[in-house]
Amino acid sequence: MKGTPHSRRGRTTACAVAAALLAGTASAAVPAAHAVPAPSAVHAPAAAPHSPATSRVAADGLPTELRFVDIPGHAGVRLAANVVAPRDDGRRHPAIVLPTSWAMPQVEYLAQARQLAAQGYVVVSYNVRGFWQSGGEIEVGGPADVADASKVIDWTLEHTAADPARVGMAGISYGAGISLLASAFDDRVRAVAAMSGWADLVGSLYSGRTQHTQSTAVLTGLGHLTGRPSDETAAMMRAMLSGDLEHEADLIAWGAERSASSHVDRINANGAAVMLANAWGDSIFPPNQYADFYEKLTGPKRLELRPGDHATAEATGLLGLPNDVWTNTRRWFDHHLRGVANGIDAEPPVRLKPRSDAAYEGYTDWAAVPARTERLVFDDPERIWPNAGSGANGGVAMLSSTLDQFLQLPPTASVPLLPRTRAAVWQTGRYQAGQRIRGTVTLTTTVTSNRSSGTAIAHLYDVGPLGIGKLITHAPATFHDRTPGEPFTLDAELFSTAYDLPAGHRLALVIDGADLLYTDHNSAFQEVEFTDTRLTVPLR
């Protein structure tokens, strides 16, 4: 199936955005991609030569040393790595293995590694296969990546003073995804801290059967710039960016194999303590998939969600600056690997920071986050032409949610001025009291289209007295193989959020068909009607 004219425009713009990010801010973003499947764990130690580069690292606490080494990965692939560890004192120490983020060099975690080593950890950080100095090709968390993680643990136990009973893994983005997958296939991993990662690759880059074009373009561009994608990886990325359906089944199977959510039973059986941290506005790995995965875990677990975009919540910690994500990561490992009674196990396991100046909130589990729901019923039918944008949009990947994080400036739209031929718009009355939206907003509507395929993008806005809407959340939903003119039900789960609606403001639901974040499947002269529209809003 050929991409529609708008789909091609979306892909071109997405690639332009990727190029801009590569030229400017990509290094701050720490993009990550993709999940992992599962080869059976192999625990045979493998020797590797030490690099001659050895130096003493100044840090508070224990004296530490830094070494740059090569570690033989799966099938002998060279993995460039560094070790930061307490100087030899004859004791065994807990170990933490840190796979790098997508496109990041092996020194990514050095500031945090120094702090951890000064507290008594052996820390081994390695460049994942296919990137920078490491050999091999990019497999996007495939079986070879999972096997590499076990090989690095083998090497760590053989060549350092690491305690085999106290091994943890952590990482941002790509490193987070690999860490979660490794905990499913190597039972030596006793604790994991997965920051801004994915548990469901399909749910991250293809939610609502819709290609997340901008984020995929960023990952693709960075992958080719800093690494060597395998033939399979390159083919899957092309399939994602193309918008064609010919390879959809292959793409879904490929992503599912690389998703920790597909292997949650193994993670639960192994019993690793899992901490998940993500941002409400993560434009690569949205928070819904982490929240769903968290609910399936049965061992010790913790979920932290904050304002921000992909990896922006953890970024200052990579510079060694105070950072609460990394602080809680150290506390998590201290408790589960060192046995420190620091109280993290007694805290509410779900910790949320609203997208405002409000303090952190604690909950017993994800299901307890909303205290009630409000069901909004919009009976008025709306008919639109969905093959072009309306002015409502989810913003720009890696930028819009960062502005919301630091300046509380989400994407905006003048709701009264949105063209009603392009956007279906419904509004509530003014709320007399403020509303605390917490959790996942869901949409159900009846769709009648004169084409068999199409895409609808739902936006929920906070509308002030002047009609300016601030984006609360959004999500795309695509349909295929429908009979033209025959009504059907379309369901959408908007990206989870924690937003405080001020008193006197309205909620507005806006549905259109085009957003440069996504590849749409609408076509010229297409008409779509929405009737019996229902919105369920979770509230505290």
Side-chain angles (χ1 to χ4, degrees):
M1 179 182 294
K2 300 287 186 182
T4 65
H6 178 76
S7 298
R8 290 192 291 271
R9 288 196 301 272
R11 291 194 295 274
T12 300
T13 304
C15 291
V17 171
L21 284 170
L22 291 174
T25 61
S27 61
V30 192
H34 330 345
V36 198
S40 54
V42 179
H43 295 173
H50 286 228
S51 164
T54 302
S55 63
R56 201 168 295 164
V57 178
D60 295 335
L62 297 176
T64 63
E65 291 183 341
L66 164 67
R67 291 185 288 141
F68 290 92
V69 300
D70 291 341
I71 297 176
H74 175 65
V77 166
R78 170 183 177 265
L79 301 176
N82 60 72
V83 181
V84 188
R87 292 169 62 185
D88 188 8
D89 57 5
R91 295 183 298 170
R92 288 285 182 177
H93 297 276
I96 298 176
V97 174
L98 301 170
T100 52
S101 302
W102 186 266
M104 292 296 285
Q106 59 155 306
V107 295
E108 174 187 9
Y109 302 114
L110 189 56
Q112 287 299 323
R114 293 177 61 177
Q115 295 182 34
L116 286 163
Q119 293 174 348
Y121 290 93
V122 171
V123 184
V124 179
S125 177
Y126 71 96
N127 245 131
V128 293
R129 64 171 52 222
F131 284 105
W132 295 96
Q133 300 102 324
S134 287
E137 296 176 324
I138 300 169
E139 302 292 346
V140 191
D145 290 307
V146 179
D148 282 345
S150 286
K151 288 292 189 180
V152 173
I153 294 174
D154 290 341
W155 186 94
T156 300
L157 297 179
E158 182 177 354
H159 293 85
T160 74
D163 184 345
R166 296 185 291 167
V167 176
M169 290 192 67
I172 296 174
S173 187
Y174 197 35
I178 290 175
S179 295
L180 284 175
L181 285 159
S183 73
F185 297 102
D186 194 323
D187 59 10
R188 296 173 296 180
V189 179
R190 306 313 305 152
V192 174
M195 298 167 272
S196 291
W198 81 94
D200 182 349
L201 190 58
V202 178
S204 295
L205 299 177
Y206 195 59
S207 66
R209 292 189 76 184
T210 308
Q211 291 90 345
H212 292 215
T213 316
Q214 270 190 26
S215 57
T216 304
V218 169
L219 295 171
T220 300
L222 286 169
H224 283 285
L225 182 68
T226 62
R228 302 164 300 281
S230 68
D231 290 343
E232 181 185 34
T233 296
M236 291 298 101
M237 288 180 168
R238 286 194 300 271
M240 179 70 75
L241 290 171
S242 72
D244 295 341
L245 293 177
E246 180 182 356
H247 301 292
E248 182 184 45
D250 293 337
L251 187 65
I252 290 174
W254 178 82
E257 183 187 23
R258 288 158 166 77
S259 297
S261 58
S262 299
H263 312 294
V264 68
D265 290 344
R266 297 188 64 141
I267 295 174
N268 289 334
N270 289 341
V274 177
M275 172 180 154
L276 305 169
N278 204 356
W280 297 117
D282 194 316
S283 52
I284 296 180
F285 303 128
N288 299 46
Q289 47 96 31
Y290 252 17
D292 292 344
F293 178 68
Y294 172 85
E295 289 288 88
K296 298 174 184 176
L297 293 171
T298 58
K301 59 183 179 178
R302 182 178 177 92
L303 175 65
E304 300 185 356
L305 295 170
R306 302 170 174 81
D309 207 313
H310 184 66
T312 60
E314 303 89 0
T316 57
L318 295 178
L319 302 176
L321 300 175
N323 181 280
D324 63 338
V325 187
W326 282 102
T327 296
N328 286 335
T329 292
R330 290 195 296 273
R331 293 176 65 222
W332 189 251
F333 286 133
D334 283 347
H335 180 74
H336 291 286
L337 297 183
R338 296 175 61 204
V340 176
N342 55 18
I344 196 167
D345 57 321
E347 297 173 1
V350 176
R351 186 169 181 260
L352 311 181
K353 175 70 171 68
R355 291 164 48 198
S356 65
D357 294 328
Y360 278 95
E361 302 169 355
Y363 300 92
T364 56
D365 56 42
W366 177 250
V369 171
R372 60 187 177 90
T373 58
E374 180 179 13
R375 187 172 173 80
L376 303 177
V377 178
F378 303 115
D379 290 328
D380 295 338
E382 292 279 350
R383 181 184 294 267
I384 65 170
W385 298 337
N387 69 320
S390 68
N393 64 81
V396 177
M398 299 305 309
L399 175 62
S400 298
S401 292
T402 304
L403 293 175
D404 186 38
Q405 174 185 0
F406 293 107
L407 302 175
Q408 294 181 24
L409 293 175
T412 60
S414 177
V415 174
L417 298 181
L418 292 174
R420 301 302 286 269
T421 57
R422 297 291 184 186
V425 180
W426 301 269
Q427 293 193 73
T428 67
R430 290 187 177 89
Y431 285 90
Q432 297 302 309
Q435 304 294 310
R436 298 166 63 200
I437 300 172
R438 298 289 187 274
T440 306
V441 177
T442 57
L443 168 70
T444 297
T445 186
T446 299
V447 174
T448 306
S449 171
N450 65 347
R451 299 288 189 270
S452 61
S453 294
T455 298
I457 302 170
H459 311 79
L460 183 64
Y461 283 102
D462 161 10
V463 183
L466 299 179
I468 301 300
K470 295 182 178 180
L471 186 67
I472 298 173
T473 181
H474 79 288
T478 294
F479 58 89
H480 296 292
D481 302 321
R482 297 292 180 174
T483 302
E486 184 175 305
F488 63 93
T489 299
L490 182 68
D491 296 316
E493 183 181 86
L494 280 62
F495 301 136
S496 303
T497 194
Y499 186 91
D500 294 331
L501 182 78
H505 286 213
R506 307 172 186 265
L507 289 176
L509 172 63
V510 178
I511 304 178
D512 64 6
D515 191 315
L516 295 178
L517 287 171
Y518 310 107
T519 296
D520 71 76
H521 293 262
N522 301 313
S523 55
F525 306 110
Q526 183 168 0
E527 290 186 341
V528 176
E529 183 178 52
F530 302 97
T531 57
D532 301 321
T533 301
R534 307 286 186 268
L535 198 68
T536 302
V537 182
L539 300 169
R540 288 301 297 175

